[in-house]
Amino acid sequence: MNDTVTIDVRLGAEMIAEHSFPLEMGISVGRSADSSIVLDSRGVSRKHAIMVASKSGVSVTNLSPNGILLGAELAGNHFEAPFGAEIGIAPFTLVLRRADTGDPEQDRPALRRRVLEGLIEHIDLGSVDAKGEELRPRVEAALERLLHREGIPVGDERTSLVTDLANEALGLGPIEELLTDDSISEIMVIDSENVYVERNGRLEKSHTCFTSQDSVRIIIERIVTPLGRRIDEASPMVDARLPDGSRVNAIIPPLAIRGPAITIRKFASTPLSIEDLIRFKTLDRTVADFLFSAVAARHNIVISGGTGSGKTTLLNVLAGAIPSEERIITIEDAAELRLPQPHVVTLETRPPNAEGKGQVTIRDLVRNALRMRPDRIVVGECRGGEALDMLQAMNTGHDGSLTTTHANSPSEALSRLETLSLMAGLDLPSRAIREQIAAAVDLVVQQTRMPDGSRRITSIAEVVGMGDDGRITTSELYRLVAGGPGQEGESFLCATGWLPSFTRAES
């Protein structure tokens, strides 16, 4: 079937007729009975107008001395009208809308642009006093009318479009719906037309899209502005968080070639518990009891892993095992840890302002935390010179502290801590830094994202000390192995048989 145009004929507020014609067909309008659209009124000429609809709009030729209105203005003898425009002929109003029978996904961005542009003409969102939910009914009613003119029939598709476009006009656009889907763990906006999500550990393309690249940019501004952060050509990258604690990273041109990009790491409305991790097979009951005992015994723990491996989730669970009577200071780039204890002080970094001043780094916050009488310090991630300050804190009476770092194995995690400590700029010899690490860190927990999308603890290593060769020595306590009695090839955490030195000392 070819694409068609639908013309609604109204007399006052009442719709009296509806006509559909193929695109590119000449449509005659007049009082004559042989007209394609017959308008019975003395103000209408026998042959009043000829209209030809294309995919981009309608071409109108006036044949009558009585003229034609486009909106409220008298039009010329030949003019172009967009879909949704109101064409006045004597007492009648003709509203043209395209009934698209092609691929709806192909023209969805163009449709969204047209409807949002029409919405702005109907409602000046910036000048209306009502905000949020007070304004939403008016916006949705206007969108219903505009989509009707576009030929989108009543049904699930139109309802979905109304919701998406209202979210884009008033909230976070397509992100709003994705944020409420508990099966989605990550949202990735590549450009305005391509949005991917991670569901059950696997990437899939979402059917949602933005109206334009400018719409993506506006959404980014809505996220970062309430937090006192900025994103512009001078500062084209930003880390932020949503009110629910979800982590947001945004980057814009010229760094992002395809247009503004957004990555959102969602957090469940209810933080995961150790029981959840056991159910997901991240670890088993024996390992969970061991780690909780290590936290309670005030051993310093580093959680290592790659991007998206679940380090922060595990950190949140382990920090939740800290006794409630202790004073905890959490330090993060974007505050996302949610601990159940009553005595938690949450600190968050701050980027520089437009003049390049006022920046507060994780290192600044770690130093300040030492003056706040902490029992425990929890750093969301060590990624710079703050690693040295964290090690010094662990070595000066702040036992039981926790942090994460990016690495692919426990030994790599210790090497990375050494490298990060060198970034502190104190010109310390490598051996002195390794001695700090060996004395400060008790356990390294390796978290890995598996090929099937699951997150598993693959190794737990104890830091034993410094060897004669000046290297840090470790002993693996648990490792992930495949198979086993009754396991039918399934991987599971297995104790290596090495008894932790702190357990031997306690016994």
Side-chain angles (χ1 to χ4, degrees), residues 158-206:
R158 191 155 104 184
T159 300
S160 176
L161 273 172
V162 168
T163 301
D164 284 352
L165 292 169
N167 287 338
E168 191 160 336
L170 301 171
L172 300 183
I175 293 175
E176 293 269 8
E177 181 180 355
L178 301 178
L179 285 170
T180 60
D181 188 340
D182 291 336
S183 68
I184 294 174
S185 57
E186 196 140 1
I187 302 167
M188 292 147 280
V189 180
I190 296 177
D191 53 35
S192 62
E193 297 182 18
N194 294 282
V195 179
Y196 283 79
V197 299
E198 181 186 77
R199 183 181 276 113
N200 300 322
R202 298 185 180 275
L203 293 181
E204 60 184 63
K205 187 173 182 181
S206 169

Side-chain angles (χ1 to χ4, degrees), residues 274 283 285-303 314 317-323 326 375-376 394 398-402 440-445 457 460-463 477-478 500-503 506:
I274 191 67
L283 71 173
R285 176 69 61 185
T286 301
V287 174
D289 291 342
F290 169 74
L291 290 176
F292 271 28
S293 297
V295 172
R298 302 183 66 86
H299 295 300
N300 296 318
I301 300 175
V302 174
I303 301 171
L314 181 60
V317 169
L318 294 184
I322 297 173
E326 296 189 28
D375 289 313
R376 311 267 190 145
M394 291 176 173
H398 300 94
D399 295 334
S401 296
L402 300 97
V441 179
D442 296 309
L443 292 175
V444 180
V445 181
I457 291 178
I460 300 177
E462 179 194 13
V463 178
L477 307 178
Y478 292 89
S501 59
F502 53 77
T503 303
E506 291 164 2

